[in-house]
Amino acid sequence: MNNVKLKNNFFTENYLSILSLSFFFLFWYYLVASGIVSDRILADPITTIQTFIFKLTNTSPEGATLFQHLRTSLILALTGFSLGAVIGVPLGLLMGWYKPVDALVRPLFDVLRPIPPIAWIPISIFWFGIGMFSKSFIIFVSAFVPCVINSYTGIRLTNPTLIRVAEVYGASYRETFFRVGVPSAVPMIFTGLKLALSTAWMTLVAAELLAANEGLGYMIQMGRRLARPDIIIVGMLTIGAVGALIASGLQSFDSKLSKWRS
Amino acid sequence: MALNKVDINVQPKEEGYVPKSKKKTFSYIQVLPVVSFALALGIWWVIAELELIRLPTPAEVIMQLYVMATGTVAGQPLHFHVYMSLQRVLIAFVIALAVGIPLGTMMGWNRRIEKIFNPIFEIFRPIPPIAWVPLAILWMGIGEAPKIFIVWVGCFVPMVVNSFTGMRYADKLLMDASRTLGATRSQQFFNVALPAALPSIFAGVQNGLSLGWMCVLAAEMIAAREGAGFLILQGMYVRNEAMIVSGMLIIGLLGFLIAIFLRYMEKVITPWRKEELV
């Protein structure tokens, strides 16, 4: 009977996943290869892989290699994201801790919050043209809102007992803010950063679809104009993979941080 | 022994000590929101009058809103544009509800179903819905179908993720208790696991709808002749900045109404859920 348990390895655990994935790729391949779906609107998996390898070193047909597009997009996303985090997190913390700041900023924030970052695209193109600056601004807006909301909520949820203990030991309100409020808000701040990064990455694609001459969003848009589904799919998968990588990076950093906390 | 050395006769410095957090707040706090609105409006007006950046004055925006509400934009009245956007979101949202929640809950309920669908879902999950725009246009042209498809992707993903996690992390104690009391598998599903997962499922529905609202704007900005997203893009094309800002205000207002509606629905559907602090 023990042998049966030993056989419980990777394949017996995951045979269903392996089957379903192979079925998925075969079905995808069959759809295109049999001509049910024209290869002008869908590329089969093998062509997609070939295009991916080709795009690693080659700039045709839309003028930049995959790495150049990726670099442009990453620089933009990280610029806007860091701006949003650097301004948004402290603002949220101050709003959550100091009532006058809250009363002053919150009404304006509540008016601007329901406007999705994507709706800022036209006016930002109007103001700043289609260059780097206008896209950074849009991504800044998209990252700013979740950073503020989550750090605000995080510091508001600080255990009141801890605050009172700090007060009893004679800490000033400002000291309590730095020693008790901010540390206890860290998990929520991280949730906000994760959310901000995924929103920023999505907004970036939208901004690049509308106005760009380089970047992953531009790449898939050109793939559509040139009727090259393989380029679109390579671009989409790259966007997805990079987004997932960034998210898992933040996740592992977060779990390391929480290990250190406890 | 050490305890005896503690001086127990220390008195609080003041009589009737009130913790700082409980002290009465200054009354000026109540007027601060008004001050901040007035200040923001004033700064907006000054910037617009001095033409530091191309920005309409608040009065111009109100005029534009009036003109748009009484006249037409691109041959259609304003309420038609709003209606079109809402209709697209609603259709996609309903389809996503019908597909996403059963898929997510079944994946969370049954390990086999999870093994089959999760790997495929994981390939698509990290791709932002907006990145589907070019492929959707290539597949379905620029009619209603691609827009509904993109909004559907936006609604679908958070619904699946949340109903999956809600189901998977349903309280094991409740499950065991119901089994001990002789509940059948289907009773466990409908009477225990599903209600336990409902708050999480509803959070997914909420995220899905707000993401869907964002996606419809993106889709309408990229290829449409009507809709709320089209309004602001049209403003950009005809170089009418008052139209862009009014469009943004309309979009913000609609987003706000959707959020209020969802908060109300949450109270109706999951009344046992604890009140959130913020």
Side-chain angles (χ1 to χ4, degrees):
Chain A
M1 282 313 257
N2 280 336
N3 285 344
V4 178
K5 272 194 177 169
L6 282 175
K7 270 185 186 169
N8 221 0
N9 59 14
F10 180 77
F11 286 102
T12 45
E13 280 268 300
N14 293 303
Y15 74 99
L16 276 173
S17 301
I18 294 163
L19 272 179
S20 85
L21 274 180
S22 6
F23 176 76
F24 171 72
F25 282 108
L26 277 176
F27 182 68
W28 178 9
Y29 183 79
Y30 171 76
L31 270 184
V32 183
S34 66
I36 294 174
V37 175
S38 154
D39 62 355
R40 288 183 61 83
I41 64 168
L42 186 68
D44 66 58
I46 293 169
T47 317
T48 305
I49 294 167
Q50 282 168 348
T51 307
F52 173 72
I53 295 166
F54 177 78
K55 284 303 293 175
L56 285 179
T57 53
N58 222 304
T59 58
S60 72
E62 81 286 349
T65 65
L66 193 59
F67 279 122
Q68 285 166 331
H69 287 306
L70 182 61
R71 201 185 57 207
T72 313
S73 294
L74 270 181
I75 289 174
L76 267 176
L78 292 179
T79 313
F81 170 74
S82 350
L83 268 177
V86 165
I87 301 176
V89 171
L91 183 68
L93 290 173
L94 290 175
M95 274 164 68
W97 198 253
Y98 292 104
K99 289 222 171 66
V101 182
D102 191 26
L104 206 57
V105 182
R106 183 101 181 269
L108 292 179
F109 184 71
D110 278 344
V111 171
L112 293 179
R113 186 170 67 153
I115 301 174
I118 287 171
W120 285 90
I121 293 176
I123 197 134
S124 116
I125 293 175
F126 215 78
W127 286 342
F128 311 119
I130 64 159
M132 170 118 183
F133 198 75
S134 97
K135 265 165 275 176
S136 311
F137 173 73
I138 297 157
I139 294 154
F140 161 76
V141 172
S142 74
F144 175 74
V145 174
C147 282
V148 171
I149 294 175
N150 279 280
S151 34
Y152 180 85
T153 317
I155 203 160
R156 272 297 177 90
L157 291 174
T158 304
N159 189 345
T161 313
L162 293 179
I163 299 176
R164 240 160 272 149
V165 168
E167 273 169 19
V168 168
Y169 278 98
S172 68
Y173 200 54
R174 203 169 61 103
E175 271 177 309
T176 319
F177 173 69
F178 284 114
R179 294 283 180 81
V180 179
V182 175
S184 82
V186 166
M188 278 298 280
I189 293 175
F190 254 94
T191 313
L193 290 180
K194 268 183 266 180
L195 208 63
L197 202 55
S198 66
T199 322
W201 192 238
M202 187 175 122
T203 313
L204 175 77
V205 175
E208 283 180 346
L209 280 176
L210 272 166
N213 34 40
E214 210 176 57
L216 292 168
Y218 172 76
M219 178 177 161
I220 58 177
Q221 181 73 340
M222 285 312 282
R224 176 176 78 79
R225 295 227 178 105
L226 301 165
R228 286 282 302 271
D230 49 337
I231 288 181
I232 302 181
I233 295 171
V234 168
M236 281 170 70
L237 290 176
T238 313
I239 291 166
V242 172
L245 272 179
I246 296 173
S248 71
L250 264 178
Q251 184 70 49
S252 70
F253 185 65
D254 186 21
S255 52
K256 258 181 206 156
L257 204 69
S258 57
K259 222 180 264 171
W260 158 79
R261 262 202 317 270
S262 65
Chain B
M1 282 297 130
L3 269 178
N4 293 339
K5 287 181 186 166
V6 175
D7 184 3
I8 53 161
N9 291 319
V10 172
Q11 294 288 324
K13 280 179 196 162
E14 308 157 57
E15 288 291 318
Y17 176 74
V18 185
K20 278 173 191 164
S21 53
K22 289 279 164 64
K23 270 183 189 164
K24 231 179 128 184
T25 48
F26 299 105
S27 57
Y28 74 84
I29 284 177
Q30 268 106 18
V31 295
L32 273 183
V34 183
V35 172
S36 83
F37 263 121
L39 209 63
L41 217 59
I43 291 172
W44 175 7
W45 212 306
V46 168
I47 289 176
E49 283 293 340
L50 296 178
E51 289 175 5
L52 295 176
I53 47 174
R54 294 197 56 170
L55 192 71
T57 62
E60 279 167 9
V61 172
I62 292 166
M63 276 304 293
Q64 177 70 29
L65 277 172
Y66 177 73
V67 168
M68 276 158 61
T70 50
T72 57
V73 184
Q76 300 289 355
L78 182 64
H79 60 83
F80 177 77
H81 290 284
V82 172
Y83 170 75
M84 282 309 285
S85 294
L86 291 179
Q87 190 192 41
R88 284 166 186 153
V89 173
L90 196 68
I91 294 173
F93 178 71
V94 170
I95 302 173
L97 271 180
V99 185
I101 291 180
L103 180 65
T105 43
M106 287 322 289
M107 267 164 56
W109 182 247
N110 187 319
R111 293 262 174 195
R112 284 209 175 141
I113 296 177
E114 185 204 338
K115 291 271 185 213
I116 292 171
F117 288 107
N118 206 26
I120 300 172
F121 181 67
E122 281 299 314
I123 295 176
F124 291 109
R125 191 180 57 93
I127 300 173
I130 291 164
W132 284 93
V133 170
L135 211 53
I137 293 174
L138 209 57
W139 286 346
M140 304 173 228
I142 56 164
E144 285 300 288
K147 281 152 212 137
I148 292 172
F149 174 74
I150 291 154
V151 180
W152 175 78
V153 174
C155 295
F156 176 72
V157 172
M159 286 183 193
V160 174
V161 172
N162 277 42
S163 37
F164 172 68
T165 49
M167 220 50 188
R168 175 54 45 86
Y169 299 108
D171 197 343
K172 285 281 172 294
L173 205 65
L174 294 177
M175 297 295 295
D176 291 343
S178 63
R179 200 158 63 195
T180 314
L181 293 170
T184 64
R185 192 84 174 132
S186 78
Q187 276 174 327
Q188 278 183 42
F189 180 83
F190 285 108
N191 297 346
V192 181
L194 205 56
L198 211 51
S200 169
I201 294 175
F202 197 81
V205 171
Q206 246 171 333
N207 288 345
L209 192 55
S210 55
L211 199 57
W213 176 238
M214 225 168 120
C215 292
V216 83
L217 297 178
E220 285 169 352
M221 283 163 74
I222 290 157
R225 281 185 206 85
E226 66 288 302
F230 170 78
L231 281 181
I232 49 176
L233 205 71
Q234 180 72 2
M236 189 180 93
Y237 284 138
V238 302
R239 303 193 75 72
N240 180 350
E241 54 265 45
M243 193 164 156
I244 302 181
V245 176
S246 343
M248 285 170 70
L249 288 178
I250 293 170
I251 288 167
L253 184 69
L254 288 171
F256 178 67
L257 291 177
I258 291 174
I260 286 186
F261 169 72
L262 278 171
R263 221 166 290 162
Y264 172 73
M265 284 309 289
E266 186 181 20
K267 272 186 193 140
V268 173
I269 294 175
T270 58
W272 63 86
R273 199 181 178 191
K274 280 177 198 160
E275 282 293 314
E276 302 260 321
L277 255 156
V278 179

